[in-house]
Amino acid sequence: MAWEHLHDKVKHHLESIYADVALDVSYETLATELMNTIGIQQQTDIASPQSHHNYWDEEDIIMITYGDSVIDEDERPLVTLNKFMHRYCKNTINNVHILPFFPYSSDDGFSVIDYSTVNEALGSWDDIEAIAKDYGLMTDLVINHCSARSVWFDNFVKGEGPGSDFFFTADPADDLSLVTRPRVSPLLRETETADGTKYVWCTFSHDQVDFDFRNPKVLLAFIDIIKLYIDKGAKIFRLDAVAFLWKIVGTNSINLFQTHEVIRLIRTLIEHVDPSIIIITETNIPNRENLTYFGNANEAHAIYNFSLPPLLVNTLVSGDCTYLKSWMMSMPPAQNGTAYFNFIASHDGIGLRPAEGLLSEEEISDLVHAMQHFGGKVSWRASEHGQQKPYEINITLFDALQGTIKGPDKYQVDRFICAHAIMLGMEGIPGIYIHSLLGTSNDYEKVANTGQNRSINRKRWDFNELEALLDSPFSQHHKVLTRISQLIRIRKAQPAFHPNATQFTLQLGNQIFGYWRQSLDRKQSIFCISNICDEEQTILLSDINLIGTDNWIDLITRDEISLSSGFLQMKPYQVLWISNQDFE
């Protein structure tokens, strides 16, 4: 694409974003500044992204971790993380999402003080770049807010310098009743500044002050940050809490048109620097709204499949896949050039907003009570009517699946592996939280120390202690890592598990959850069948319609499937990946 053509495209984005904003700079000048900032000058070669091209395949797995999830005495945590991955993940994980590794003041990294430096307690940019040499680096762009202890906010308070006009303010007398809130804290933070009392918009907490993207200097600052991260090896950008980016007083200030257009602009700039860089939007909102962030394959390359965690956990603790099956049938196939980002555990809890409209209030209530019985905590939000509603369940996935609504049982590990097998076989790119890979249990001590519910799922492992457990065949951690690693190795070898391969939901009753995958070249089929309850189940082979002229094998056990038997007997939480080809 010629520089002039791209410049016109960027200018068009800007005209849409700032149509209702009086700027003191022309669209032409701003477009040039943005392109120069990200490294696209008139004399440089401009990359040519392919429309609807998949920059991923079945081999892509993303591990989600904090920079200090594993620590070793007298060693920088990022060095320890790299050592852990080389020792235990080398043949399974090829991408790593290191949660915010910048200096921060709260929210375990998501209240960023300085976007341009690495937290000294974790390591340095050299350590980040060393990881990026061997793994695809996914980094957070915490774009909605920053720390109230940042230099930018200090300058806002002083009324001078960079950042002095970066933050969104409102009047307490404004009608803010429609604003969508993920927290119960007051929306506005009263702040004394050199220019008098101001009320700063805080979507999440009063230590997380929201940016005002009506000021194009904020956009320029973030394009500069993106350029830095690309230079340091970032291959995947996670746009944190991006749904709240644009605010308009009198509206719900979520998912606004301008927010989508800012994402389209960021996409345009990044893909003309390096088309292989992927953008993932983190939008923890109801499913229908979440899907809009694909745009027309011109916004996010991938979106978080936020409805999957609550639906899958509900399925496995209730022993009924009705809701999961209905949701799966309703999900549109991701068109080429886009993909779902599947996960069932993360540094946050099990979000319940994405289950709204999919699970009934009674089902959500039953799920919450079961998780509380398993030692989980509940975080709350204020509804539009001022009532408190459960927003998030805080619990490790391993402990969330320790039993059913009847209580704990002996199937914890099998149920946990079943959950990951279902996720790994689905359409989309899988993300696995490090504490799921390790089978980590609830960390009550950390909750007590921090006073934060989310700390329950953010354990910090001592490397030597963890190494001993992972090397012991009798520990839950060894069993979990071994079995999940086996599933990953199988998945990575099968073309039918390409993130964009065909998927079709099977109708096998409420206790058997199944779907069919077919490779893009239509040569390989895999029937993914899971017993999601605590009793043995029998399935008729005629119900999954295996073609009699093919030879079928369970990829997990390597057992041949005899069509003459007419049925299969499945143990509680057993998973079958039945395929006509085996590429492992």
Side-chain angles (χ1 to χ4, degrees), residues 310-453:
L311 289 176
L312 185 51
V313 171
N314 179 72
T315 292
L316 290 165
V317 299
S318 69
D320 187 331
C321 64
T322 301
Y323 294 99
L324 179 63
K325 192 164 49 178
S326 296
W327 165 76
M328 197 173 204
M329 288 189 293
S330 73
M331 291 294 282
Q335 58 180 306
N336 283 329
T338 66
Y340 293 110
F341 179 57
N342 295 328
F343 73 108
I344 49 179
S346 74
H347 62 290
D348 291 339
I350 301 169
L352 294 174
R353 283 211 76 209
E356 293 175 10
L358 301 172
L359 293 177
S360 67
E361 288 195 11
E362 182 180 1
E363 288 281 340
I364 291 175
S365 178
D366 288 345
L367 178 60
V368 168
H369 289 149
M371 295 301 100
Q372 288 175 314
H373 184 58
F374 295 157
K377 311 289 184 181
V378 180
S379 296
W380 303 85
R381 71 176 179 90
S383 72
E384 56 272 20
H385 304 297
Q387 300 170 317
Q388 287 201 353
K389 297 184 69 173
Y391 170 75
E392 182 179 86
I393 300 166
N394 303 112
I395 190 170
T396 69
L397 184 64
F398 188 72
D399 279 353
L401 297 176
Q402 65 185 266
T404 69
I405 54 176
K406 295 177 286 189
D409 59 27
K410 63 181 180 180
Y411 295 115
Q412 183 174 16
V413 172
D414 290 336
R415 190 181 290 110
F416 186 72
I417 298 302
C418 176
H420 283 87
I422 289 172
M423 188 264 289
L424 284 166
M426 289 175 59
E427 175 192 357
I429 302 167
I432 301 180
Y433 189 35
I434 188 171
H435 291 303
S436 293
L437 203 63
L438 300 175
T440 305
S441 296
N442 292 335
D443 191 340
Y444 299 111
E445 183 179 351
K446 191 166 186 179
V447 173
N449 289 338
T450 65
Q452 301 295 320
N453 286 350

Side-chain angles (χ1 to χ4, degrees), residues 507-569:
Q507 302 299 322
L508 301 171
N510 295 335
Q511 281 69 54
I512 298 288
F513 178 66
Y515 52 90
W516 171 70
R517 303 295 309 278
Q518 185 184 57
S519 58
L520 297 174
D521 63 9
R522 300 186 179 182
K523 292 180 180 179
Q524 186 189 31
S525 288
I526 302 177
F527 291 87
C528 303
I529 301 169
S530 303
N531 179 359
I532 51 85
C533 74
D534 57 4
E535 297 179 355
E536 286 197 7
Q537 298 292 316
T538 301
I539 62 169
L540 299 177
L541 290 174
S542 57
D543 286 344
I544 55 176
N545 196 27
L546 301 180
I547 298 173
T549 55
D550 287 348
N551 295 318
W552 297 91
I553 185 174
D554 174 23
L555 297 174
I556 298 173
T557 64
R558 295 293 186 271
D559 291 340
E560 291 186 11
I561 305 299
S562 173
L563 299 185
S564 61
S565 66
F567 68 92
L568 291 171
Q569 199 74 20

Side-chain angles (χ1 to χ4, degrees), residues 3 32 35-46 227:
W3 187 92
T32 302
M35 292 171 64
N36 287 340
T37 299
I38 205 165
I40 302 174
Q41 281 87 31
Q42 282 185 288
Q43 67 273 19
T44 59
D45 291 331
I46 300 175
K227 174 64 162 59

Side-chain angles (χ1 to χ4, degrees), residues 6 15 57 76 99 158 186 404 417 467 488 581 584:
L6 179 57
E15 289 170 344
D57 61 25
R76 296 186 304 278
L99 291 154
K158 291 186 291 188
T404 69
I417 298 302
E467 184 179 40
I488 292 173
Q581 294 189 58
E584 190 179 12

Side-chain angles (χ1 to χ4, degrees), residues 52 54 56 239 242 255 259-261 263-264 267 271 278-283 285 287-306 327 330-342 427-429 499-500:
H52 300 285
N54 298 323
W56 46 81
L239 304 191
V242 71
N255 306 322
T259 293
H260 285 277
E261 194 65 39
I263 296 170
R264 287 192 280 269
R267 164 80 176 260
E271 69 183 4
I278 296 169
I279 295 172
I280 302 181
T281 49
E282 188 268 333
T283 45
I285 51 180
N287 191 57
R288 186 183 297 270
E289 299 168 25
N290 191 28
L291 288 168
T292 64
Y293 283 86
F294 278 139
N296 185 23
N298 61 349
E299 291 187 39
H301 295 88
I303 61 172
Y304 273 73
N305 225 339
F306 273 110
W327 165 76
S330 73
M331 291 294 282
Q335 58 180 306
N336 283 329
T338 66
Y340 293 110
F341 179 57
N342 295 328
E427 175 192 357
I429 302 167
N500 295 86

